[in-house]
Amino acid sequence: QVRLVESGGGLVQPGGSLRLSCAASVSAFSTRAMGWYRQAPGKERQLVAAIDSIGGTNYADSVKGRFTISKDNAKNTVYLQMNNLNPEDTAVYYCHADKRFSFGADYWGQGTQVTVSS
């Protein structure tokens, strides 16, 4: 009964910007750590950015200073603002909702494609 729906991906030129959104139909959204991951063809899925239940954030070194994760608890939505994009950012981006408890389940969205190309 958990649904994560990403939007905002697309084609952008190097140096451009995109904002990804993840609308979460999930219980106790505000208590969950949320994250954005990405996976390029032939590569492992990797963490891009995460935000915890009290607003603390963590970023991959490759995106620090360029990407910003945020969330709106009233809208049950998490965002990823991506600036100064480069071709290495090309990947499918996935929204992730962490477990509420150590024995609980985590959830993934379907992914949204981001392509950075001139």
Side-chain angles (χ1 to χ4, degrees):
Q1 294 187 324
V2 175
R3 184 184 180 193
L4 305 178
V5 181
E6 300 101 333
S7 61
L11 175 64
V12 65
Q13 296 185 74
S17 297
L18 286 172
R19 188 178 76 158
L20 306 183
S21 298
C22 173
S25 299
V26 61
S27 62
F29 173 83
S30 65
T31 72
R32 295 181 184 267
M34 303 292 297
W36 287 96
Y37 292 71
R38 67 187 182 188
Q39 187 168 24
K43 299 182 69 176
E44 294 285 321
R45 187 174 299 185
Q46 63 179 176
L47 175 69
V48 176
I51 185 165
D52 64 25
S53 61
I54 59 172
T57 57
N58 187 42
Y59 297 93
D61 287 342
S62 59
V63 308
K64 286 180 179 177
R66 300 189 297 122
F67 291 11
T68 303
I69 188 171
S70 61
K71 63 187 178 79
D72 186 334
N73 288 331
K75 295 182 178 180
N76 281 18
T77 301
V78 61
Y79 305 95
L80 185 68
Q81 178 66 46
M82 305 185 293
N83 298 324
N84 194 25
L85 287 160
N86 61 64
E88 289 68 47
D89 297 316
T90 296
V92 177
Y93 284 70
Y94 296 91
C95 183
H96 178 251
D98 206 355
K99 299 175 181 179
R100 292 182 63 199
F101 314 102
S102 62
F103 52 84
D106 59 350
Y107 303 95
W108 294 93
Q110 82 288 349
T112 185
Q113 177 71 48
V114 171
T115 302
V116 185
S117 177
S118 59

